[in-house]
mmCIF file of all heavy atoms in Angstrom:
data_model
loop_
_atom_site.group_PDB
_atom_site.id
_atom_site.type_symbol
_atom_site.label_atom_id
_atom_site.label_comp_id
_atom_site.label_asym_id
_atom_site.label_seq_id
_atom_site.Cartn_x
_atom_site.Cartn_y
_atom_site.Cartn_z
ATOM 1 N N HIS A 18 -15.332 34.251 4.675
ATOM 2 C CA HIS A 18 -16.207 34.955 5.564
ATOM 3 C C HIS A 18 -15.465 35.686 6.683
ATOM 4 O O HIS A 18 -16.100 36.076 7.695
ATOM 5 C CB HIS A 18 -17.315 34.076 6.090
ATOM 6 C CG HIS A 18 -18.258 33.639 5.059
ATOM 7 N ND1 HIS A 18 -18.029 32.587 4.164
ATOM 8 C CD2 HIS A 18 -19.526 34.133 4.712
ATOM 9 C CE1 HIS A 18 -19.056 32.425 3.356
ATOM 10 N NE2 HIS A 18 -19.951 33.329 3.667
ATOM 11 N N GLY A 19 -14.183 35.811 6.537
ATOM 12 C CA GLY A 19 -13.412 36.616 7.480
ATOM 13 C C GLY A 19 -13.298 36.112 8.923
ATOM 14 O O GLY A 19 -13.088 36.851 9.835
ATOM 15 N N MET A 20 -13.437 34.750 9.049
ATOM 16 C CA MET A 20 -13.351 34.238 10.398
ATOM 17 C C MET A 20 -11.904 34.092 10.874
ATOM 18 O O MET A 20 -11.627 33.918 12.045
ATOM 19 C CB MET A 20 -14.020 32.837 10.465
ATOM 20 C CG MET A 20 -15.528 32.916 10.268
ATOM 21 S SD MET A 20 -16.321 31.297 10.164
ATOM 22 C CE MET A 20 -16.052 30.678 11.812
ATOM 23 N N VAL A 21 -10.979 34.220 9.914
ATOM 24 C CA VAL A 21 -9.535 34.341 10.293
ATOM 25 C C VAL A 21 -9.277 35.862 10.285
ATOM 26 O O VAL A 21 -9.589 36.528 9.344
ATOM 27 C CB VAL A 21 -8.687 33.628 9.279
ATOM 28 C CG1 VAL A 21 -7.198 33.818 9.618
ATOM 29 C CG2 VAL A 21 -8.992 32.207 9.208
ATOM 30 N N ALA A 22 -8.748 36.343 11.394
ATOM 31 C CA ALA A 22 -8.531 37.806 11.560
ATOM 32 C C ALA A 22 -7.698 38.339 10.360
ATOM 33 O O ALA A 22 -6.765 37.693 9.915
ATOM 34 C CB ALA A 22 -7.757 38.052 12.872
ATOM 35 N N PRO A 23 -8.114 39.519 9.871
ATOM 36 C CA PRO A 23 -7.395 40.106 8.737
ATOM 37 C C PRO A 23 -5.866 40.272 9.060
ATOM 38 O O PRO A 23 -5.522 40.752 10.136
ATOM 39 C CB PRO A 23 -8.055 41.517 8.603
ATOM 40 C CG PRO A 23 -9.416 41.293 9.148
ATOM 41 C CD PRO A 23 -9.284 40.342 10.318
ATOM 42 N N GLY A 24 -5.058 39.851 8.133
ATOM 43 C CA GLY A 24 -3.646 39.950 8.358
ATOM 44 C C GLY A 24 -3.050 38.857 9.222
ATOM 45 O O GLY A 24 -1.808 38.838 9.432
ATOM 46 N N PHE A 25 -3.829 37.949 9.770
ATOM 47 C CA PHE A 25 -3.325 36.860 10.611
ATOM 48 C C PHE A 25 -2.815 35.736 9.726
ATOM 49 O O PHE A 25 -3.550 35.124 8.976
ATOM 50 C CB PHE A 25 -4.460 36.355 11.489
ATOM 51 C CG PHE A 25 -4.001 35.224 12.367
ATOM 52 C CD1 PHE A 25 -2.957 35.377 13.233
ATOM 53 C CD2 PHE A 25 -4.655 34.010 12.332
ATOM 54 C CE1 PHE A 25 -2.537 34.272 14.076
ATOM 55 C CE2 PHE A 25 -4.289 32.933 13.183
ATOM 56 C CZ PHE A 25 -3.216 33.108 13.993
ATOM 57 N N PRO A 26 -1.559 35.475 9.729
ATOM 58 C CA PRO A 26 -0.908 34.523 8.830
ATOM 59 C C PRO A 26 -1.091 33.097 9.366
ATOM 60 O O PRO A 26 -0.191 32.475 9.911
ATOM 61 C CB PRO A 26 0.556 34.951 8.814
ATOM 62 C CG PRO A 26 0.788 35.520 10.199
ATOM 63 C CD PRO A 26 -0.498 36.135 10.592
ATOM 64 N N PHE A 27 -2.276 32.539 9.170
ATOM 65 C CA PHE A 27 -2.615 31.236 9.760
ATOM 66 C C PHE A 27 -1.626 30.157 9.384
ATOM 67 O O PHE A 27 -1.096 29.417 10.232
ATOM 68 C CB PHE A 27 -4.039 30.835 9.384
ATOM 69 C CG PHE A 27 -4.375 29.450 9.874
ATOM 70 C CD1 PHE A 27 -4.670 29.239 11.253
ATOM 71 C CD2 PHE A 27 -4.563 28.418 9.013
ATOM 72 C CE1 PHE A 27 -4.964 27.982 11.708
ATOM 73 C CE2 PHE A 27 -4.884 27.135 9.499
ATOM 74 C CZ PHE A 27 -5.146 26.938 10.853
ATOM 75 N N ARG A 28 -1.277 30.132 8.066
ATOM 76 C CA ARG A 28 -0.366 29.056 7.634
ATOM 77 C C ARG A 28 1.048 29.310 8.194
ATOM 78 O O ARG A 28 1.807 28.300 8.381
ATOM 79 C CB ARG A 28 -0.345 29.001 6.141
ATOM 80 C CG ARG A 28 0.331 27.762 5.558
ATOM 81 C CD ARG A 28 0.291 27.706 4.052
ATOM 82 N NE ARG A 28 -1.069 27.515 3.585
ATOM 83 C CZ ARG A 28 -1.407 27.512 2.326
ATOM 84 N NH1 ARG A 28 -0.446 27.736 1.367
ATOM 85 N NH2 ARG A 28 -2.622 27.337 1.892
ATOM 86 N N HIS A 29 1.373 30.495 8.492
ATOM 87 C CA HIS A 29 2.703 30.757 9.090
ATOM 88 C C HIS A 29 2.785 30.063 10.424
ATOM 89 O O HIS A 29 3.912 29.664 10.916
ATOM 90 C CB HIS A 29 2.896 32.273 9.320
ATOM 91 C CG HIS A 29 3.422 32.960 8.091
ATOM 92 N ND1 HIS A 29 4.720 33.343 7.898
ATOM 93 C CD2 HIS A 29 2.734 33.375 6.962
ATOM 94 C CE1 HIS A 29 4.852 33.980 6.772
ATOM 95 N NE2 HIS A 29 3.692 34.006 6.161
ATOM 96 N N THR A 30 1.697 29.894 11.147
ATOM 97 C CA THR A 30 1.686 29.315 12.461
ATOM 98 C C THR A 30 1.629 27.789 12.435
ATOM 99 O O THR A 30 1.922 27.137 13.470
ATOM 100 C CB THR A 30 0.520 29.865 13.326
ATOM 101 O OG1 THR A 30 -0.745 29.388 12.803
ATOM 102 C CG2 THR A 30 0.486 31.370 13.366
ATOM 103 N N THR A 31 1.256 27.219 11.310
ATOM 104 C CA THR A 31 1.121 25.746 11.234
ATOM 105 C C THR A 31 2.209 25.073 10.458
ATOM 106 O O THR A 31 2.485 23.888 10.661
ATOM 107 C CB THR A 31 -0.252 25.394 10.592
ATOM 108 O OG1 THR A 31 -0.294 25.855 9.241
ATOM 109 C CG2 THR A 31 -1.411 26.019 11.415
ATOM 110 N N HIS A 32 2.852 25.798 9.524
ATOM 111 C CA HIS A 32 3.743 25.220 8.582
ATOM 112 C C HIS A 32 4.866 24.383 9.235
ATOM 113 O O HIS A 32 5.170 23.272 8.863
ATOM 114 C CB HIS A 32 4.328 26.322 7.665
ATOM 115 C CG HIS A 32 5.367 25.770 6.719
ATOM 116 N ND1 HIS A 32 4.995 25.220 5.493
ATOM 117 C CD2 HIS A 32 6.743 25.735 6.731
ATOM 118 C CE1 HIS A 32 6.085 24.940 4.797
ATOM 119 N NE2 HIS A 32 7.176 25.168 5.515
ATOM 120 N N HIS A 33 5.521 24.993 10.233
ATOM 121 C CA HIS A 33 6.634 24.316 10.893
ATOM 122 C C HIS A 33 6.232 23.063 11.643
ATOM 123 O O HIS A 33 6.904 22.051 11.652
ATOM 124 C CB HIS A 33 7.447 25.261 11.744
ATOM 125 C CG HIS A 33 6.747 25.708 12.984
ATOM 126 N ND1 HIS A 33 5.666 26.529 12.977
ATOM 127 C CD2 HIS A 33 7.054 25.427 14.285
ATOM 128 C CE1 HIS A 33 5.284 26.786 14.229
ATOM 129 N NE2 HIS A 33 6.104 26.133 15.060
ATOM 130 N N VAL A 34 5.068 23.162 12.326
ATOM 131 C CA VAL A 34 4.589 22.053 13.087
ATOM 132 C C VAL A 34 4.306 20.863 12.197
ATOM 133 O O VAL A 34 4.698 19.695 12.419
ATOM 134 C CB VAL A 34 3.335 22.390 13.909
ATOM 135 C CG1 VAL A 34 2.860 21.228 14.707
ATOM 136 C CG2 VAL A 34 3.591 23.587 14.836
ATOM 137 N N VAL A 35 3.618 21.072 11.062
ATOM 138 C CA VAL A 35 3.228 20.084 10.111
ATOM 139 C C VAL A 35 4.518 19.431 9.535
ATOM 140 O O VAL A 35 4.621 18.179 9.449
ATOM 141 C CB VAL A 35 2.388 20.637 9.020
ATOM 142 C CG1 VAL A 35 2.142 19.625 7.925
ATOM 143 C CG2 VAL A 35 1.004 21.028 9.579
ATOM 144 N N ASN A 36 5.464 20.253 9.136
ATOM 145 C CA ASN A 36 6.662 19.725 8.478
ATOM 146 C C ASN A 36 7.630 19.037 9.458
ATOM 147 O O ASN A 36 8.306 18.042 9.040
ATOM 148 C CB ASN A 36 7.347 20.879 7.764
ATOM 149 C CG ASN A 36 6.752 21.141 6.436
ATOM 150 O OD1 ASN A 36 7.093 20.585 5.360
ATOM 151 N ND2 ASN A 36 5.788 22.080 6.408
ATOM 152 N N ILE A 37 7.692 19.450 10.652
ATOM 153 C CA ILE A 37 8.496 18.718 11.625
ATOM 154 C C ILE A 37 7.884 17.397 11.937
ATOM 155 O O ILE A 37 8.582 16.375 12.069
ATOM 156 C CB ILE A 37 8.695 19.582 12.927
ATOM 157 C CG1 ILE A 37 9.429 20.859 12.627
ATOM 158 C CG2 ILE A 37 9.420 18.779 14.004
ATOM 159 C CD1 ILE A 37 9.485 21.872 13.803
ATOM 160 N N PHE A 38 6.548 17.336 12.073
ATOM 161 C CA PHE A 38 5.892 16.049 12.323
ATOM 162 C C PHE A 38 6.159 15.132 11.162
ATOM 163 O O PHE A 38 6.490 13.940 11.368
ATOM 164 C CB PHE A 38 4.368 16.293 12.456
ATOM 165 C CG PHE A 38 3.594 15.040 12.629
ATOM 166 C CD1 PHE A 38 3.407 14.471 13.924
ATOM 167 C CD2 PHE A 38 3.038 14.360 11.543
ATOM 168 C CE1 PHE A 38 2.698 13.265 14.063
ATOM 169 C CE2 PHE A 38 2.345 13.200 11.703
ATOM 170 C CZ PHE A 38 2.177 12.626 12.981
ATOM 171 N N GLN A 39 6.027 15.596 9.922
ATOM 172 C CA GLN A 39 6.360 14.768 8.776
ATOM 173 C C GLN A 39 7.726 14.228 8.789
ATOM 174 O O GLN A 39 8.032 13.118 8.420
ATOM 175 C CB GLN A 39 6.125 15.536 7.463
ATOM 176 C CG GLN A 39 4.653 15.799 7.114
ATOM 177 C CD GLN A 39 4.503 16.668 5.882
ATOM 178 O OE1 GLN A 39 3.444 17.016 5.520
ATOM 179 N NE2 GLN A 39 5.587 16.988 5.198
ATOM 180 N N ALA A 40 8.700 15.085 9.206
ATOM 181 C CA ALA A 40 10.098 14.645 9.270
ATOM 182 C C ALA A 40 10.339 13.495 10.191
ATOM 183 O O ALA A 40 11.229 12.670 9.957
ATOM 184 C CB ALA A 40 10.984 15.834 9.617
ATOM 185 N N PHE A 41 9.617 13.453 11.296
ATOM 186 C CA PHE A 41 9.762 12.417 12.315
ATOM 187 C C PHE A 41 8.888 11.164 12.102
ATOM 188 O O PHE A 41 9.088 10.183 12.774
ATOM 189 C CB PHE A 41 9.531 13.010 13.665
ATOM 190 C CG PHE A 41 10.652 13.852 14.182
ATOM 191 C CD1 PHE A 41 10.395 15.166 14.548
ATOM 192 C CD2 PHE A 41 11.935 13.370 14.301
ATOM 193 C CE1 PHE A 41 11.425 15.996 14.965
ATOM 194 C CE2 PHE A 41 12.946 14.181 14.738
ATOM 195 C CZ PHE A 41 12.729 15.496 15.105
ATOM 196 N N LEU A 42 7.921 11.297 11.217
ATOM 197 C CA LEU A 42 7.001 10.190 10.952
ATOM 198 C C LEU A 42 7.798 9.101 10.158
ATOM 199 O O LEU A 42 8.499 9.373 9.162
ATOM 200 C CB LEU A 42 5.784 10.606 10.143
ATOM 201 C CG LEU A 42 4.677 9.565 9.923
ATOM 202 C CD1 LEU A 42 4.054 9.222 11.297
ATOM 203 C CD2 LEU A 42 3.589 10.152 9.021
ATOM 204 N N ALA A 43 7.654 7.857 10.565
ATOM 205 C CA ALA A 43 8.384 6.775 9.961
ATOM 206 C C ALA A 43 8.117 6.705 8.480
ATOM 207 O O ALA A 43 6.989 6.865 8.011
ATOM 208 C CB ALA A 43 7.965 5.422 10.567
ATOM 209 N N ARG A 44 9.171 6.626 7.663
ATOM 210 C CA ARG A 44 9.042 6.672 6.193
ATOM 211 C C ARG A 44 8.275 5.540 5.603
ATOM 212 O O ARG A 44 7.646 5.669 4.542
ATOM 213 C CB ARG A 44 10.440 6.619 5.580
ATOM 214 C CG ARG A 44 11.326 7.840 5.897
ATOM 215 C CD ARG A 44 10.766 9.086 5.347
ATOM 216 N NE ARG A 44 10.793 9.116 3.889
ATOM 217 C CZ ARG A 44 10.181 10.039 3.140
ATOM 218 N NH1 ARG A 44 9.439 10.986 3.743
ATOM 219 N NH2 ARG A 44 10.233 9.962 1.819
#
Side-chain angles (χ1 to χ4, degrees):
H18 290 82
M20 293 174 66
V21 178
F25 178 57
F27 178 70
R28 192 176 295 176
H29 278 257
T30 69
T31 63
H32 178 83
H33 69 291
V34 180
V35 172
N36 280 271
I37 296 171
F38 178 86
Q39 287 177 183
F41 286 120
L42 187 64
R44 296 293 296 169

